[in-house]
Amino acid sequence: MFRYAAELVPFHDYDLEDSLRVLADIGFKEVNLWSSAAPLAHHVNPGDDPGTIRGLLNKYRLTPCGLTVYGKTQDEILERVDFAADLGIDTLIFDCEANYSDFVSTFLPPIVEAGARRGVRIAVENHLTMPFSEDFESGANEDNRWHEGVDTLAQMKRLIRDIDHPYLGVCIAPPHLWVMQETISEAITFLAERKRLFYYYIWDIDRAYRHGRDGLNFGPAEQQLPRSDGTLDHYVMLGTLRRVGYEGVASLKCHGTGGWSFEKISKHLRASDAYIKECMKRDSAP
């Protein structure tokens, strides 16, 4: 069975310790830390004391299962490879941070090699091919998409063919595949067969999403958090993870919590967690 975890990103405006405490209270044992560009979560960063961070995690009996580093330069990501290793984290996550040809020829190879030296796997998220901007949640940059990136199953296949390295894999983000009208279970199966499924986001998308207009605006957080009346049937996808023998992390995620109170975020996470646990319970029933 996969390892069920939580993303720190919904609490991007709040204190690290408070956020860890509520995730532990919900029942999570693993958490993906974030060291990304604002307004995304950036609770931990190179220069912070790894011992202090590990102390907080130990206090709440949480294990760090990943480090997400969106909106960073190559040098900044290289710093975070070392930072992840110092924290005992074995997976670094980011998206295609350049046009595909530049990404695989010059941007990514040094990062993969650095990861191999430090024991940190590089998980490239399938992500709509547009440059990062602070106002991404408003749908910015839909008109500025790169010609090629890593947002379809065909492009994921090409990525792991062009850089065939045991420390390079993919983080599957279901909403991005849904936008590209791809079959999520097919992507799970293909990558798992080749030992290149490194991470999985448990994440939904607003049914009102407008193709060609909304870009990275996947709707308010309550529409992104998995739920029984959501756009995606997470029972199907979590069942696929189990059937392919995936033993990595599947982590509850959403954006869209800007301006929310701490209590509101916690309440919605609890409700989504209950739905995911019900899916897992159904899947394990005889």
Side-chain angles (χ1 to χ4, degrees):
M1 175 63 77
F2 57 83
R3 292 148 48 205
Y4 179 43
E7 299 294 306
L8 199 57
V9 64
F11 294 103
H12 53 73
D13 293 333
Y14 294 98
D15 178 75
L16 174 61
E17 181 168 4
D18 290 341
S19 305
L20 295 177
R21 182 174 59 249
V22 74
L23 291 177
D25 185 61
I26 292 172
F28 289 104
K29 303 299 182 184
E30 297 192 56
V31 60
N32 181 23
L33 303 177
W34 281 58
S35 184
S36 296
L40 294 172
H42 45 281
H43 291 90
V44 300
N45 295 285
D48 293 345
D49 177 22
T52 300
I53 297 168
R54 289 196 300 266
L56 277 178
L57 291 164
N58 290 338
K59 179 178 179 179
Y60 295 103
R61 299 182 181 180
L62 287 165
T63 299
C65 59
L67 185 68
T68 294
V69 297
Y70 297 131
K72 297 298 180 180
T73 66
Q74 183 187 62
D75 286 342
E76 289 170 331
I77 293 175
L78 286 168
E79 286 182 319
R80 284 159 174 79
V81 170
D82 289 329
F83 186 50
D86 292 342
L87 288 169
I89 294 172
D90 70 356
T91 305
L92 196 77
I93 303 161
F94 54 91
D95 62 350
C96 186
E97 297 284 350
N99 276 305
Y100 182 81
S101 58
D102 297 327
F103 187 61
V104 296
S105 63
T106 60
F107 192 97
L108 193 54
I111 296 172
V112 175
E113 292 301 327
R117 288 193 298 271
R118 296 301 310 270
V120 177
R121 305 181 309 167
I122 306 303
V124 176
E125 180 192 350
N126 62 284
H127 196 283
L128 301 185
T129 55
M130 55 190 65
F132 175 83
S133 65
E134 291 189 3
D135 56 349
F136 76 94
E137 289 181 310
S138 68
N141 277 330
E142 173 66 23
D143 296 331
N144 296 319
R145 285 200 187 189
W146 293 318
H147 178 61
E148 293 182 297
V150 182
D151 57 5
T152 66
L153 178 54
Q155 290 169 338
M156 286 185 264
K157 292 178 178 180
R158 180 178 58 175
L159 173 68
I160 63 173
R161 179 197 65 205
D162 289 350
I163 303 181
D164 184 6
H165 195 292
Y167 273 81
L168 177 68
V170 174
C171 167
I172 287 185
H176 292 278
L177 284 171
W178 181 88
V179 170
M180 300 305 296
Q181 301 184 65
E182 297 277 8
T183 303
I184 298 162
S185 292
E186 183 181 357
I188 290 171
T189 302
F190 178 87
L191 292 168
E193 285 178 352
R194 288 151 182 83
K195 300 180 181 179
R196 294 295 181 268
L197 178 55
F198 282 5
Y199 205 90
Y200 181 87
Y201 285 142
I202 306 175
W203 186 14
D204 214 311
I205 187 169
D206 192 344
R207 196 181 303 278
Y209 181 91
R210 298 169 297 178
H211 291 266
R213 296 180 61 183
D214 284 339
L216 295 174
N217 179 8
F218 290 171
E222 62 265 30
Q223 298 298 318
Q224 295 186 36
L225 282 168
R227 61 204 184 282
S228 60
D229 61 346
T231 301
L232 299 172
D233 189 338
H234 295 272
Y235 171 71
V236 173
M237 294 174 292
L238 296 178
T240 303
L241 290 176
R242 182 187 60 80
R243 285 188 293 275
V244 300
Y246 176 63
E247 296 179 347
V249 173
S251 188
L252 187 62
K253 178 184 179 182
C254 74
H255 296 299
T257 57
W260 280 26
S261 69
F262 188 85
E263 292 73 20
K264 183 176 180 180
I265 297 170
S266 302
K267 176 182 176 181
H268 280 273
L269 280 176
R270 288 180 185 277
S272 188
D273 168 71
Y275 162 66
I276 293 302
K277 287 176 177 172
E278 182 60 31
C279 289
M280 293 165 63
K281 182 179 178 181
R282 286 173 57 198
D283 203 49
S284 62

